[in-house]
Amino acid sequence: MAQKPSIPKGTRDFTPAEMARRNYIFDTIREVFHLYGFQQIETPAMENLSTLMGKYGEEGDKLLFKILNSGDFLRGIDHKLIEDGEYIKLASQLCEKGLRYDLTVPFARFVVMHRNDLQFPFKRFQIQPVWRADRPQKGRYREFYQCDADVVGSDSLLNEVELLQMIDEVFRRLGIRITIKLNNRKVLAGIAELIGAPDKIIDITVAIDKIDKIGLDNVKAELAERGIPAGSIEKITPIITLSGSNEERLASLETLLKESETGLKGVEELREVMNGSVALGLVADLELDVSLARGLNYYTGTIIEVKARDVEIGSITGGGRYDNLTGVFGLPGVSGVGISFGADRIYDVLNTLNLYPSDILGVAKIMFTNFGPTEATRSLSVIKELRKAGIPAEIFPDNAKMKKQMGRADALGIPYVGIIGETELANGTVTLKDMATGEQKQLTVGQLIEELNRN
Amino acid sequence: MAQKPSIPKGTRDFTPAEMARRNYIFDTIREVFHLYGFQQIETPAMENLSTLMGKYGEEGDKLLFKILNSGDFLRGIDHKLIEDGEYIKLASQLCEKGLRYDLTVPFARFVVMHRNDLQFPFKRFQIQPVWRADRPQKGRYREFYQCDADVVGSDSLLNEVELLQMIDEVFRRLGIRITIKLNNRKVLAGIAELIGAPDKIIDITVAIDKIDKIGLDNVKAELAERGIPAGSIEKITPIITLSGSNEERLASLETLLKESETGLKGVEELREVMNGSVALGLVADLELDVSLARGLNYYTGTIIEVKARDVEIGSITGGGRYDNLTGVFGLPGVSGVGISFGADRIYDVLNTLNLYPSDILGVAKIMFTNFGPTEATRSLSVIKELRKAGIPAEIFPDNAKMKKQMGRADALGIPYVGIIGETELANGTVTLKDMATGEQKQLTVGQLIEELNRN
C-alpha cells in the first residue's frame, strides 16, 4: 500500500516561489558580507556531541538532535541505565554525534582546529541551517537558517562600527526600516556596582524595559518586590527614566556611573561606536537602550539588537562582543564581535510588508511553445542563442494543446512566450507575446534578444 | 580541562579558500540550471524514516543516519529487542527520523505532497547536502552535496536533449573536457530478449565493458563462466565488439535487435536524443556505450554518464529516465528524467587540472591600513564610497605594526592596499599600492574607484 507522505513536525519544504524569496534575502546578506571583506566558511551538519554538550545550558543539551550510532549501537552499553530509565545518560552511550544547534560553537571549534591556517583578525561569515528539538510553534522551527558574521582576534571598536554599517546596508537594500538598539555589558556591570547587587541586573533590565508600559511607580514597586532595597531603587531611578538624545543619555549615564570604572568604560565604548556610526551615516535609527540584556551570559562589551519599525515581531538581528570564544576548546584570549541575521523573521517581515522586488521569481524569461518536431528544433536553436545572451529560456517539452502550454507560462509567471509556427519557420522570425499585455510582434532573433534584454 | 576539538570522521570543514572554489562550482551549475528554466526547491535535512526506509535497498537502510527521538526515548520500547540484541528492529523504535540520503526520494515525496501547487512538467533543481554512514575513504564522505535537476511529468525526449545541453554548458564553463556516454535501458532489455536471459544483463554489460582491456576471447570465456550458453554468446558478439561512429553503432544495433520491439524502441530513442543534441552542437564528445548499466534498477529509458577526459576518476555526472518516481508515495504515472552533478568529484577534477579562475577568492579587493583614529575615520568614509561602487573593501581594524597589516593583505591575496596617512589626509587622496607589482600611486577617490573597477 502506498504511504501518505509527510515531513517531521517543525520542518519545512520550500517551493520554488518560497526559494526565490529566501534566495533574495540570503543573496542580499551574502553580497553585503562580501562587500565588507568577510569570507565564507561551512562546517558539517553533524558535530561530535562532546563539542556541543554543555555549551547551551542544561535546556540546550536537551534540545540537541542526537544521531544514533551506526551498526550495533547496543554493544557496550550499560543495561542498568535502561532498567533505571536513565535516558539522558543512556543517550550519550547510544549517540556520539549531534546536529549543529547554532553556528557559534562550531565556529569556535573551527577557529581552534584551523588556527594555524587563519589570518587574524579573521572575518568569517556562515549561512547554514541549525536544528533544535524545540516545541514547534508559529515562527519557531526545528530546522532554520542562521546568517552569522564575526570578527575574531581584534579588540578594535571599528569592528562594531563596521558591523552596524553592515546591518544598516542589509536592511536598506531589503527596504525594511529598522531601529538598531545598542547597549554595553560594562554599563550593566556599572549599574550593578552602583547598587551593590550584580545578581539583580536581569531584574533591573526587565523592569526598565517596562517603564513606557506601566510607569515609574509600578516599575519601582516591581523592583522592591524583587528584593532591591529602596535606597538602591532611588539610585537607579535616573537610569530607569533615561531619556533624550543618545548624547544626552550617554552624558547622564556618565554622571550616574562616575564611580564605576567599568561603567565609565562601557559609556566610552558606546560613545565611540555610536559616534563612529553616525559619522559614516546610518539610514537606521540608532538608540541607546540600557534595558537591552541580550546574551548576558556571554557578551562582555557591545550588545546589539535590531527591531523592524513597521512590523510587530521580535528582534530580527542581534549580536555583541564576547571575550573568550574559544577558551573552552583550549585557545584562550580570542575575543571577537559578531552579528546574526534572523532569516526566518526577516522573511516574515518582507512577506508582511510585501517588499519583494517583482523580478526575483527565478523562472525563465521566455517560454517557447511546441508545435511538433520541426518547430521545436528551430525553437531550440533560437533558445540556444538566447541563453548565450544570458536570457533564461525554455521550451514546452511536449506538443500539447496550446491552452495547456500558455497556461504554464501564465501560472509560473513567465513574462514572455515565443511562438515559432509555419510562418515564422518560413521567414526566420519569432512571434513574441507579452503575457501581461497580450501584445504580439514578429521579430528576428537579433531583435528578440534586444527586446528581452531591454525589458 | 579544555577539550581538543575534532569533527566526526567522514565530514569536513570548508575554509574560505575551499568555499570560494566550491561556490564557483555551485554558482556555475546554478546559473546554468536557471538559464534552462529550472526552479529551485529545498527539503528538510530530516525526513521521517518511513519516507526513507526501503527505498535504497537493505544496504541503504543500514547507511541511513537515524535521529534519536527527543525526550524519553525509552518509553514504550520493547525490552525484549534489547535483550536479544535486535538493534536493527530497535532502531525503528528509538528513532522516527533520519537524515536525507539522496535528493531523489525527498523530491518524490515533495512532488506528491505539493502536487496541487505544481505546474507539470515540473522542472526542479536542488543543491543540498546528503548523509550516508558509509565507511569513509579517499573521495568518499559521510556528508556531501548533490546537485540535481529533474523534469517530471513529461515523456518528451526534448528533455533529454536539454539535459545534455546543460551538462555540456556546465563543463564548458568550468573548462573540463568531457565525454558524455549514453545508453538506453530498452536496448539492454532487447539484448536480454535476444539471448533469453534477462537476469544476465548485468554480467553482459560488465563483460562488454572489459573488451578493450582483455580482448574478445577473454570476454567470451568470462561470459561462458557466468553461465551464458555458447549460442547466446555468438548472438551478442556483434554487440560486444560494437564500433565505429555513433550512427554506425546505432545501425548495427538496429539490425541485431530487429526482432525485439523494445530494443528497437531503445535504438530509436537513442537516435532521437543523439541527433537532437548534435544538431544543437555539443562541445563534449558524445558516445553510445551499450556497456553503460548505471541505475539499472530504476532507470527505464535513457541512461547518461559523464567522464572527465583528462583525469582518471569515476563518473562526474550521471542521470537517466525513470517511469514511476512517485508511485511508492501514492501518485502513479509520474515519469521523469534527471541528472545529478557530483560536486565533490568535479572539485577534485578542477583541483587536479588547476582550472580555477584567479578572481574567485572571495576576499576584499582592497585593504586600507590603519594609522590611528583620524586616518581610520577618513579611510572608512572612502571605503563607504568604494562599497557603494560595488568594490569589496576592508580596513585593518587595529593600529598594528605596518608589517603585520601588509602581511594580512599578502596572506589573504587581497590585490590592493589603500594607504591614508598624513599627506593623504592633507590633500584628500589615497595612496594605492598594487601588491603584485609593488607599484604605488596617489589618487583621488574618484580615480581610485575607476582604477579598481578597471582591474
Side-chain angles (χ1 to χ4, degrees):
Chain A
M1 213 195 72
Q3 305 165 0
K4 193 169 142 47
S6 63
I7 53 176
K9 64 179 175 180
T11 70
R12 292 164 289 173
D13 281 329
F14 296 109
T15 63
E18 288 163 338
M19 278 306 295
R21 292 174 162 216
R22 290 173 66 83
N23 282 338
Y24 167 66
I25 297 171
F26 291 130
D27 290 345
T28 301
I29 293 172
R30 199 179 296 117
E31 270 165 36
V32 172
F33 285 166
H34 181 56
L35 264 186
Y36 280 72
F38 283 70
Q39 293 189 284
Q40 190 170 11
I41 69 161
E42 282 188 4
T43 61
M46 302 187 287
E47 293 275 353
N48 290 323
L49 278 177
S50 56
T51 299
L52 301 176
M53 295 286 282
K55 309 301 189 299
Y56 307 105
E58 205 174 317
E59 190 56 23
D61 283 354
K62 279 189 204 151
L63 299 185
L64 291 171
F65 280 112
K66 299 173 185 75
I67 293 162
L68 192 67
N69 291 339
S70 302
D72 185 359
F73 53 85
L74 287 174
R75 204 182 318 154
I77 66 158
D78 179 353
H79 282 260
K80 181 137 190 352
L81 293 177
I82 302 175
E83 284 153 34
D84 298 349
E86 290 267 20
Y87 66 90
I88 293 178
K89 282 184 189 154
L90 187 64
S92 4
Q93 296 197 359
L94 294 174
C95 307
E96 60 186 25
K97 293 182 287 291
L99 292 180
R100 181 168 62 217
Y101 180 88
D102 72 358
L103 301 181
T104 304
V105 168
F107 174 51
R109 193 234 350 109
F110 179 98
V111 168
V112 175
M113 282 180 67
H114 300 273
R115 61 183 178 277
N116 295 327
D117 306 319
L118 299 177
Q119 275 297 312
F120 293 99
F122 178 44
K123 296 161 68 175
R124 89 86 168 76
F125 78 87
Q126 190 170 357
I127 301 179
Q128 291 192 278
V130 301
W131 295 270
R132 296 181 185 180
D134 247 325
R135 190 178 301 277
Q137 58 185 53
K138 189 179 174 321
R140 193 204 276 162
Y141 304 101
R142 292 186 148 191
E143 172 179 66
F144 58 97
Y145 271 77
Q146 291 193 334
C147 311
D148 284 18
D150 289 78
V151 187
V152 294
S154 164
D155 293 329
S156 167
L157 295 173
L158 285 188
N159 297 307
E160 270 89 338
V161 172
E162 288 268 89
L163 291 171
L164 294 181
Q165 290 282 319
M166 284 163 70
I167 291 171
D168 195 50
E169 182 66 15
V170 164
F171 289 108
R172 191 190 64 73
R173 290 182 180 214
L174 294 176
I176 298 175
R177 304 195 318 148
I178 56 163
T179 299
I180 302 177
K181 296 184 169 199
L182 276 191
N183 196 6
N184 192 299
R185 171 63 186 269
K186 298 183 178 107
V187 166
L188 295 176
I191 296 172
E193 268 182 49
L194 189 67
I195 59 166
D199 58 316
K200 296 290 187 201
I201 196 70
I202 288 286
D203 289 335
I204 293 170
T205 57
V206 167
I208 297 175
D209 194 37
K210 290 185 185 165
I211 179 82
D212 289 338
K213 275 194 196 141
I214 63 176
L216 181 60
D217 289 344
N218 288 318
V219 167
K220 283 183 171 177
E222 190 172 319
L223 288 172
E225 226 170 85
R226 287 167 189 258
I228 297 171
S232 297
I233 294 177
E234 280 320 303
K235 268 194 195 159
I236 59 169
T237 298
I239 292 173
I240 303 175
T241 57
L242 206 62
S243 66
S245 70
N246 289 326
E247 198 38 63
E248 286 163 356
R249 291 178 192 210
L250 285 169
S252 309
L253 275 180
E254 203 161 27
T255 310
L256 290 161
L257 298 174
K258 60 179 182 296
E259 278 165 23
S260 160
E261 199 186 328
T262 308
L264 287 180
K265 182 87 172 78
V267 174
E268 190 191 315
E269 289 185 6
L270 276 170
R271 185 173 279 135
E272 192 174 332
V273 171
M274 293 183 119
N275 286 351
S277 302
V278 171
L280 284 171
L282 283 180
V283 179
D285 281 350
L286 186 64
E287 187 186 307
L288 171 61
D289 180 352
V290 289
S291 77
L292 197 61
R294 180 193 173 80
L296 210 56
N297 47 345
Y298 46 96
Y299 289 141
T300 52
T302 303
I303 304 175
I304 303 166
E305 188 167 282
V306 178
K307 306 277 274 185
R309 278 154 67 185
D310 302 311
V311 179
E312 274 296 329
I313 197 167
S315 152
I316 54 176
T317 289
R321 179 172 283 278
Y322 38 80
D323 260 353
N324 191 6
L325 177 69
T326 56
V328 67
F329 296 120
L331 185 67
V334 175
S335 86
V337 56
I339 53 175
S340 182
F341 288 90
D344 287 290
R345 283 199 179 155
I346 293 171
Y347 181 78
D348 289 344
V349 170
L350 287 173
N351 282 338
T352 306
L353 301 176
N354 198 16
L355 285 178
Y356 292 101
S358 57
D359 59 349
I360 60 160
L361 263 182
V363 292
K365 191 154 192 178
I366 181 167
M367 184 198 85
F368 279 71
T369 54
N370 185 337
F371 294 121
T374 316
E375 291 86 349
T377 301
R378 171 70 187 148
S379 293
L380 281 176
S381 83
V382 172
I383 286 173
K384 180 146 189 170
E385 295 303 312
L386 296 182
R387 289 173 180 155
K388 237 183 230 164
I391 300 163
E394 65 170 41
I395 185 168
F396 196 96
D398 305 273
N399 178 2
K401 290 208 175 106
M402 205 35 43
K403 200 180 156 196
K404 184 170 176 194
Q405 297 195 34
M406 300 302 276
R408 172 183 177 80
D410 200 38
L412 288 180
I414 296 174
Y416 294 96
V417 166
I419 301 165
I420 294 182
E422 234 170 272
T423 319
E424 291 86 356
L425 268 182
N427 63 18
T429 62
V430 176
T431 293
L432 179 71
K433 176 170 179 163
D434 182 326
M435 293 297 284
T437 64
E439 198 195 340
Q440 294 197 183
K441 42 188 164 185
Q442 257 190 50
L443 302 171
T444 64
V445 176
Q447 290 168 333
L448 178 66
I449 292 175
E450 238 175 75
E451 180 83 13
L452 291 174
N453 271 335
R454 200 169 36 233
N455 293 300
Chain B
M1 210 197 73
Q3 304 165 2
K4 192 169 143 52
S6 63
I7 53 175
K9 64 179 175 181
T11 69
R12 291 165 289 173
D13 281 330
F14 296 108
T15 62
E18 289 163 337
M19 278 307 293
R21 292 174 163 216
R22 290 173 66 82
N23 281 338
Y24 167 67
I25 297 171
F26 291 130
D27 289 347
T28 301
I29 294 172
R30 200 181 293 116
E31 271 166 35
V32 172
F33 284 166
H34 181 56
L35 265 186
Y36 280 72
F38 282 71
Q39 293 190 285
Q40 191 171 11
I41 70 162
E42 282 188 4
T43 62
M46 301 187 285
E47 293 275 352
N48 291 322
L49 278 177
S50 56
T51 299
L52 301 176
M53 296 285 283
K55 308 301 189 299
Y56 307 106
E58 205 174 316
E59 189 55 22
D61 283 353
K62 278 189 204 151
L63 299 184
L64 290 171
F65 280 111
K66 299 172 185 75
I67 294 161
L68 191 67
N69 292 339
S70 301
D72 185 359
F73 53 84
L74 287 175
R75 202 181 320 153
I77 65 157
D78 180 353
H79 282 260
K80 182 137 188 351
L81 293 176
I82 301 175
E83 285 154 33
D84 297 351
E86 291 267 19
Y87 66 91
I88 293 178
K89 282 184 188 154
L90 187 63
S92 4
Q93 297 197 358
L94 294 173
C95 306
E96 60 187 24
K97 292 183 287 292
L99 292 180
R100 180 168 63 216
Y101 180 89
D102 71 358
L103 301 181
T104 304
V105 168
F107 174 51
R109 191 231 356 106
F110 179 98
V111 168
V112 174
M113 281 179 69
H114 300 272
R115 62 183 178 275
N116 295 327
D117 305 319
L118 299 177
Q119 275 296 314
F120 292 97
F122 179 43
K123 295 163 67 176
R124 90 86 169 76
F125 79 88
Q126 190 168 357
I127 300 179
Q128 291 192 277
V130 301
W131 295 271
R132 297 181 184 179
D134 247 323
R135 188 177 303 278
Q137 58 184 54
K138 188 176 175 326
R140 192 203 277 162
Y141 305 100
R142 291 184 150 195
E143 172 179 67
F144 58 97
Y145 270 78
Q146 292 192 332
C147 310
D148 284 18
D150 289 79
V151 187
V152 293
S154 164
D155 293 328
S156 166
L157 294 173
L158 284 188
N159 296 307
E160 270 88 336
V161 172
E162 288 268 88
L163 290 171
L164 293 181
Q165 291 280 318
M166 285 163 70
I167 291 172
D168 195 51
E169 181 65 16
V170 164
F171 289 107
R172 191 189 64 72
R173 289 181 180 214
L174 294 176
I176 298 176
R177 304 194 319 146
I178 56 163
T179 299
I180 303 177
K181 297 185 169 200
L182 276 192
N183 197 6
N184 192 297
R185 171 64 185 268
K186 296 183 180 111
V187 166
L188 295 176
I191 296 172
E193 268 183 50
L194 189 66
I195 59 166
D199 59 316
K200 297 291 185 201
I201 197 70
I202 288 286
D203 290 334
I204 294 170
T205 58
V206 167
I208 297 176
D209 193 35
K210 290 186 185 165
I211 179 80
D212 288 338
K213 274 193 198 144
I214 62 175
L216 181 60
D217 288 343
N218 288 317
V219 167
K220 282 183 171 177
E222 192 173 317
L223 287 172
E225 225 169 85
R226 287 167 189 259
I228 296 171
S232 297
I233 295 177
E234 279 322 301
K235 268 192 195 160
I236 58 169
T237 298
I239 293 173
I240 303 175
T241 55
L242 206 62
S243 67
S245 69
N246 288 327
E247 196 38 65
E248 286 163 356
R249 290 177 193 210
L250 285 170
S252 308
L253 276 181
E254 204 160 27
T255 311
L256 289 161
L257 298 174
K258 63 180 180 295
E259 277 165 26
S260 159
E261 200 187 328
T262 309
L264 287 179
K265 182 88 173 76
V267 173
E268 191 191 315
E269 289 185 7
L270 275 170
R271 183 173 280 136
E272 191 174 333
V273 171
M274 295 183 117
N275 286 351
S277 301
V278 170
L280 284 170
L282 283 180
V283 178
D285 281 350
L286 187 64
E287 187 186 307
L288 170 60
D289 179 353
V290 289
S291 77
L292 196 62
R294 179 192 174 80
L296 211 56
N297 48 344
Y298 45 97
Y299 290 140
T300 52
T302 304
I303 303 174
I304 303 166
E305 189 167 281
V306 178
K307 306 278 273 186
R309 276 155 65 185
D310 303 311
V311 178
E312 273 295 330
I313 198 168
S315 152
I316 54 177
T317 289
R321 179 172 283 278
Y322 38 81
D323 260 354
N324 190 6
L325 177 68
T326 55
V328 68
F329 296 120
L331 185 66
V334 176
S335 87
V337 56
I339 53 175
S340 182
F341 288 90
D344 287 290
R345 285 198 179 157
I346 293 171
Y347 181 78
D348 289 344
V349 170
L350 287 174
N351 281 338
T352 306
L353 302 176
N354 198 16
L355 286 178
Y356 293 100
S358 57
D359 59 348
I360 60 160
L361 262 184
V363 292
K365 190 155 194 180
I366 181 166
M367 183 197 85
F368 279 70
T369 54
N370 185 337
F371 295 120
T374 317
E375 292 85 350
T377 302
R378 170 71 187 145
S379 294
L380 281 176
S381 84
V382 173
I383 287 173
K384 181 147 188 170
E385 295 304 313
L386 295 182
R387 289 171 180 156
K388 236 182 230 164
I391 300 164
E394 65 171 40
I395 185 169
F396 196 97
D398 305 274
N399 179 2
K401 292 211 175 102
M402 204 35 41
K403 200 180 155 199
K404 184 171 177 193
Q405 297 196 32
M406 300 302 277
R408 172 184 177 80
D410 200 38
L412 288 180
I414 296 174
Y416 295 96
V417 166
I419 301 164
I420 295 182
E422 236 170 87
T423 319
E424 292 85 357
L425 269 182
N427 65 17
T429 61
V430 176
T431 294
L432 179 70
K433 178 171 179 167
D434 182 326
M435 292 297 283
T437 64
E439 197 194 343
Q440 293 196 185
K441 42 188 166 185
Q442 256 189 52
L443 303 171
T444 65
V445 176
Q447 291 167 331
L448 178 65
I449 291 174
E450 237 175 75
E451 180 81 14
L452 291 174
N453 270 334
R454 200 172 32 235
N455 294 302

